Structures are given as structure tokens and as C-alpha cells.
Amino acid sequence: MSVDWLSILDAQGNVDESLEPEMDTETLVKFYRTMVLTRMYDDKALKLQRQGRMLTFGSSLGQEATAVGSAFAMKPDDWFFPAFREHGVQIARGIPLSLLYIYWMGSEDANLKLPQKNFPVAIPVSTQVLHAVGAAWAAKLKKQNIASVVYFGDGATSEGDFHEGMNFAGVFRTPTVFICQNNQYAISLPREKQTASKTLAQKALAYGFEGIQVDGNDILAVYSASLAALEKARSGGGPTMIECFTYRMGPHTTSDDPTKYRQAAEVEEWKKKDPIKRLRIYLEKKGIWDQGREDAMIKEISGEIEKAVEEAESYKPEVGNMFKYVYAQMPPHLKEQMDELEGFISKKKRE
């Protein structure tokens, strides 16, 4: 049993011209800028957490091509269901940086302001797969020309929710695109110790639909595979699973110490495959990027990030919101807790 492998842009920035997608300069630069913005957003979040200004955070360092490439293949009307490491998708889909920082600073008020068709972050592993398949099925029943895209990690493919969602999608031919960010570790567990499958993409074959493995550090490959899968889904061709073979260069979250379970030499090898460096080399070879443009872009993004952090830190969350959105009508015990907390806060303010 095997699945296809797609790679277009190698680690040295060389492109396979027979597979190179037709893209204009503006789009390529947009890809690059969004990847760099995602990395700088991520780096700032990590620093804020270390300074005690943000809560636990899951870095996407090294996985920018998977997120940004697939996001730009989507249309605004497509449903998007993230796990907790899809910052690049959220940024590419126009979610303001300040909202992302507000969320990771601990206020779910940010979720109230998400643009339509963008679901909140799912912290439980794999539960969002079921939501995505359900949304896709509804779209199919309503004869809407849209797709549903769900993201998850390699560890999620060993969860029951994943298999239930895949089975349902296969039986009902839902317009779902399953994007697995195989970053080689389920927290500290290596991919090889988690499943005996040769690839994760081949799990789709068991459910009767296509699975493909792509170089997840190659944005051209991720974009091309995602675009094809989405067009197939919207035209009634059913689901696809895309396994993006990538690497988490940072910790699982800010609560993790990866030096306890992986070797520094392994990380150094993957740094040579950095998705941002290879795209920059590609752009330079095409004569559309240079150090001057790089410097100007970094300065612009730095200002954008600092402004977003300032907005996020000045935001005053509404305390009552933590009680309001689990039930359509708040049950008495939650109302009692909310009233007690608001009374306590009012008392403290008077003291």
C-alpha cells in the first residue's frame, strides 16, 4: 500500500519546473510575507509568555509552509477548523493579530469577533475533525459550493474522533479536506512509536478516499495539493487527506522541554530544510526579492506586531463572558457562580 508524494521546491530553492504552479509575483510575495509575519508573530508570543504577559502557547516554528500554503488555496466561504498551531492559517485568512494575542492572553472574547467560517481553536485532540465533517455534510445537503478544511497533528490520527470523522466523510462523500501537520512528534512521542502505518496519508485509503503525502516545508507543494483537493471537494469529488511532512522546530508548547526527548543534531538537520529560507532563495533566483525589500518588510511587520500587542494588552475582557456561551440558556448553577464572581469583583473595587 502506498500513496503519492509531492515535492516541487527543494531545500536549496530549486524548483521542479514540470510541477511549478503558475503564480504571479504579487502572490508569491504575499506567500513569503505571510510566512515571515507568522514566524515573527510566533516569536513575539513566545517572548510575551516568558515575560509572564501571555499564557501557555503552542509555537508553529518550522511549520509555516503547511499553514500558509493550504490557507491561500482556500476561499473565504470555505469552513476552517483549526487545532492550536494554525496561526499561519488564521493570519492568512485575515484574523487580526490583536485577536490572536487576546486569545492566547487568556480571553476567549477573541472568539466572539472571529470572521464567519473561522472556527475557534480546538485544544482537545481531534474533536474538531467531527465538527468539520458535520459542517461539510451540511454544506452538501444544502448544495452549497464550498468545502470544509480541518487541521490536526500526527498524534490526532490515533484518536477515535479522527477515525469516526474519516469514516463518515468516506461513506457520505463529504467535501472535507483533512490536513495533517505531521511534525514528527505527538508532544514527546516520536511518530514511529505512535503508529505502525508507513505513512499517515494511507489511512485515508482504508476509508475509501484519496490520501497524499507532501513535503510540508515546500509551500508550492502544499498549495498545489490543497488547491486540487479543494476543487475536487467543491465539485462533488469527495474528501481528501493531505499529510504534510514537516517538523516542529520549537517545543510542543511553552510548558514543554524538547531537549528531554530529541537530539540537537536532529533539529539542526531540519533547520536546513527551513520553509521560509527556501522560498526566499526561490524568490531571489526569480529576481523578485533582495535584501532591501527584506529589510523594509521586517521593519513594517515589526511595527504591525507591536501595535497588535499594544491593542491586546489594553483590552479589558468582560468577566461574564466565561459563563455565557456553553448553553443557549444559562443554567441556574452557572448564573449563581457568575453572580458570586461579579459580586466579589465589585466588592474588591470598593475596598
Side-chain angles (χ1 to χ4, degrees), residues 150-163:
V150 60
Y151 292 79
F152 49 89
D154 42 293
T157 65
S158 293
E159 292 283 346
D161 289 345
F162 166 80
H163 292 280

Side-chain angles (χ1 to χ4, degrees), residues 294-344:
E294 179 81 10
D295 293 342
M297 181 188 72
I298 297 297
K299 183 179 179 182
E300 181 183 79
I301 290 176
S302 297
E304 195 175 328
I305 288 175
E306 291 306 318
K307 182 173 182 292
V309 171
E310 187 177 335
E311 289 175 7
E313 291 192 316
S314 63
Y315 178 76
K316 304 297 182 189
E318 183 184 334
V319 173
N321 281 346
M322 73 172 79
F323 299 95
K324 291 180 179 176
Y325 298 101
V326 176
Y327 301 94
Q329 186 169 3
M330 191 183 299
H333 71 279
L334 275 187
K335 176 76 166 52
E336 182 181 346
Q337 290 176 31
M338 183 177 73
D339 290 345
E340 182 179 348
L341 178 60
E342 289 180 339
F344 175 79

